[in-house]
Every structure is written in C-alpha cells, then in structure tokens.
Amino acid sequence: MQSLLDRYGRVARDLRVSLTDRCNLRCAYCMPAEGLPWLPDDKTLTDVEVGRLIRVAVEHLGVTRIRFTGGEPLLRGGLERIVAGAAALRGPAGRPELALTTNGLGLDKRIDGLAAAGLDRVNISLDSLDRERYARLARRDRLHDVLAGIAAADRAGLRPLKINAVVMRDDNEPDVVPLAEFCLTRGYELRFIEQMPLGPKGEWDRGRMVTATEILDALSERFTLEALDEPRGSAPAELWHVAADDTQPGGRIGVIASVTNPFCGNCDRTRITADGQVRNCLFSHTETDLRAILRSGGSDDDLVAAWAGAHAAKARAHGIDDEGFVQPERTMSAIGG
Ligand code: SAM
Ligand code: SF4
C-alpha cells in the first residue's frame, strides 16, 4: 500500500477535511470582519466527491484519523451523511477515528445525529466565557449558543470533549483561568493554541502574540501544574496535569505552542480544502488539485499518485521564524484549521 511519506521520513495518517470555507462567526484571528469571498458552489466538492477522497485516503494511503473542519463544518448540510460514509470505511488499520472541530453554533441540534452517524470526538472552540469579550472576538453575540452546543456534546457522551481557545493580547487574556476552571470542573480537556499568522493579512505580530509560556504562567498562578511526561508523538499539544483543589477535581490542560515550540518534526497531517486541493502544510504556498482529477474521470490510482506526490514535497517546517516568511494566500478558515 502507498503511504503519505515525505522527504524527511514523516508519514501522514491524520487527514483534515475542510467541508466549507463559510462561517457564521468572524473570529478576529481567523477572518476579516467583512468575511471573505466564499467559494462558489460549483468549485466546492460535493458530498460524493468528499466521500471518495476520504475513501481513497483510508483504503489506499494509510489514513487512520479524520477530522472534519472548515470554515464552520456544521454549515455543511451533508455533514451527517459524510460522517456516516467515513464510519463505514475499513482501512488496513480498521475503521478510521472521526472527529469534528466546530465553533459549536447549532451543535445542540446536530450532535445526536452526528454521534449516531459515527462521530467519535468533538473539539469546540471557545475563547471567552464573558459575553462581551466573546462577542468582540468572534464579532457575533453567540456565546449562549456555543455553551448550549458544549452542554449537548457533553450529554451525548463524546469523550474526550476538547475545548480550543486562542488567546489574544489585551483582549481575552483575562479568560485563561476562567476557561480552565470551566473545563476542569466539567471534565473537558482545554487546549490553548498560540495564534498563528493565518488570519487577516498583515495583522499578526509575533511580538504581540500571547505565548505558551505566558499562558502557562497565568495558569500556574492559580493551579498546581505538572508536566505530563507522556510521549508527545505527533500530538501538537504539550500536556499538563492540573492538581485537584477545593474548587475543581483536577484534570489535563494542553498548550499548542505552534509558533514558539513547533511540532513540525513529528507532523503527521495532510489536508484537503473544501474545493478539493491537497495541502501538505497549513503554511504551504502550493496546492495539488484533486478536484480536477475527480471531475475528469480520474481513477483511484490517479488520486493516490497525485496525493502521494503532493505530500512527498512537504516542507521540513512552517518557517514562521525564517527571514522572508510569507503568510499563505488562504487564511485559516479557507484552508481548514
Ligand atoms: N469553525 C471551526 C472552529 O472554530 O472550531 C473550525 C475551523 S477553525 C479554523 C479551527 C480552529 O482553528 C479553531 O479552534 C480556531 O480557534 C483555530 N484558529 C483559527 N485561526 C487561528 C489562528 N490564526 N491561529 C491559531 N489558531 C487559529
Ligand atoms: Fe469561523 Fe472557526 Fe474561523 Fe472562528 S475560527 S471565524 S468559528 S472558522
């Protein structure tokens, strides 16, 4: 069987599938306030086309984990169908693990159907528990809906339930500890993600980025943290054990230091965008057009060859700190985070 092996010996087994570039929020670190020109429908892969790429990845390219993302994947009407199709696949390693990254809006109405379709896990993005700060950062007053989505995912029993948070300087820094308390008391795993230069052009400033160290310092003032010495492998988060105290039962918190301590050396990801382009890295400047192969009657072998070839050229590292670093043309929501 072919695998997604690159020049540096890394093998990709984790596929991120962007199901749409559209979103109902406008998080400041991800999208411009006015939104973006959305992909036209005829350029977006159909459910059948997405299903075929996932099948090829699982059956022929060694992919074992699939994460549906976007844009906001819940805006994709066919999500449950796509999940069910993926859950029916069997690769050499068996059934792929299926996860969803979502902003949580409307998840309360979809979670039972998604779980029934075979979804295993969900990551929900939540940057603030303060209504005003949430609305300012997401540019929509929807905190209440996100909390309803989180509660529904909790009730549905999908575990581990992970919460993703990006911390912005002079904005939601006061939320670091409250978010941790919220997650620890409910048994959710919180992941802080350093802000990457993938949002609106020219707005990212390394000097102003809130670093993993700063986040850990803020947490350490309130909690007793102990580094978990589990091997990190290809997992991007550095994990910390939080000791129980009078107010919370203890648990785990992760910090994804994509900028200050990149995990590129162990990266095992491959991505397809909503318009059917393979990207071998979030920061790649090149894409490989699988949609053209799908729509010109290409065989599974053609797709395998194009995908494996695209992946072989994966760069050693994202190069954010390199002189001459240039942010990719597509922003996070258009790539699929
Ligand atoms: N809309 C869904 C959501 O927000 O969870 C899925 C797509 S979103 C692009 C996936 C993840 O990327 C979110 O957790 C979001 O916080 C994160 N993200 C977006 N822009 C980012 C940036 N510039 N740096 C770091 N993380 C970012
Ligand atoms: Fe939308 Fe997710 Fe980007 Fe926020 S982070 S604007 S929810 S795609």
Side-chain angles (χ1 to χ4, degrees):
M1 191 180 70
Q2 184 94 35
S3 65
L4 292 171
L5 171 69
D6 69 38
R7 291 173 287 172
Y8 303 100
R10 297 166 299 189
V11 176
R13 302 198 188 286
D14 182 329
L15 168 62
R16 307 280 151 136
V17 182
S18 173
L19 293 176
T20 178
D21 60 335
R22 297 173 196 226
C23 192
N24 37 16
L25 297 182
R26 298 283 182 277
C27 304
Y29 48 77
C30 180
M31 269 216 218
E34 65 280 11
L36 292 163
W38 309 129
L39 282 172
D41 286 349
D42 64 331
K43 291 207 166 147
T44 304
L45 295 187
T46 63
D47 294 355
V48 171
E49 289 169 332
V50 174
R52 180 161 173 215
L53 292 185
I54 294 174
R55 180 180 59 72
V56 165
V58 170
E59 292 182 353
H60 303 299
L61 286 168
V63 162
T64 57
R65 289 187 308 278
I66 297 162
R67 177 170 293 278
F68 299 101
T69 182
E72 178 43 49
L74 291 177
L75 295 181
R76 178 93 184 206
L79 176 61
E80 288 79 355
R81 255 195 319 279
I82 294 170
V83 169
L89 295 173
R90 296 294 175 272
R95 173 191 181 285
E97 183 185 293
L98 304 176
L100 175 74
T101 300
T102 172
N103 62 26
L105 302 186
L107 184 63
D108 51 338
K109 297 177 190 70
R110 307 276 293 277
I111 190 71
D112 291 335
L114 287 166
L119 189 71
D120 299 304
R121 296 197 289 108
V122 59
N123 284 34
I124 304 174
S125 301
L126 172 68
D127 300 322
S128 179
L129 289 160
D130 176 86
R131 181 173 167 186
E132 267 178 36
R133 276 200 296 275
Y134 183 91
R136 196 169 58 232
L137 203 49
R139 302 198 182 99
R140 298 288 186 273
D141 184 11
R142 304 295 296 272
L143 175 62
H144 180 78
D145 303 276
V146 184
L147 295 178
I150 293 173
D154 190 353
R155 277 196 302 278
L158 300 191
R159 291 290 184 280
L161 202 169
K162 292 188 185 168
I163 304 293
N164 291 351
V166 176
V167 185
M168 298 281 279
R169 174 92 54 214
D170 302 331
D171 202 321
N172 61 337
E173 283 173 289
D175 285 290
V176 169
V177 167
L179 282 169
E181 283 167 339
F182 174 84
C183 291
L184 289 163
T185 51
R186 291 164 176 78
Y188 310 155
E189 281 194 31
L190 179 58
R191 296 275 186 275
F192 288 104
I193 311 171
E194 280 180 345
Q195 185 200 358
M196 294 180 280
L198 288 169
K201 294 277 150 56
E203 290 192 6
W204 185 83
D205 177 346
R206 196 186 203 293
R208 281 183 53 77
M209 180 193 75
V210 179
T211 63
T213 306
E214 288 176 277
I215 293 168
L216 287 167
D217 286 348
L219 290 170
S220 302
E221 283 185 21
R222 164 66 183 81
F223 306 106
T224 305
L225 301 183
E226 206 181 288
L228 280 176
D229 55 358
E230 285 175 15
R232 188 174 164 192
S234 60
E238 291 177 59
L239 292 176
W240 299 81
H241 174 72
V242 182
D245 60 31
D246 292 348
T247 61
Q248 51 81 27
R252 295 207 309 190
I253 289 186
V255 183
I256 304 182
S258 328
V259 178
T260 59
N261 187 13
F263 48 94
C264 303
N266 288 321
C267 180
D268 71 343
R269 293 180 185 175
T270 180
R271 310 185 119 82
I272 45 179
T273 61
D275 54 343
Q277 311 298 304
V278 170
R279 293 181 67 91
N280 56 27
C281 175
L282 274 174
F283 291 91
S284 174
H285 288 282
T286 55
E287 299 183 339
T288 299
D289 189 0
L290 296 187
R291 187 188 62 210
I293 300 175
L294 285 167
R295 294 188 181 174
S296 61
S299 65
D300 284 359
D301 285 348
D302 295 332
L303 291 166
V304 165
W307 200 331
H311 201 78
K314 184 176 171 93
R316 183 194 293 274
H318 58 43
I320 293 175
D321 283 329
D322 296 353
E323 212 177 305
F325 168 78
V326 178
Q327 177 175 341
E329 198 48 45
R330 294 201 203 221
T331 51
M332 189 66 140
S333 59
I335 297 171

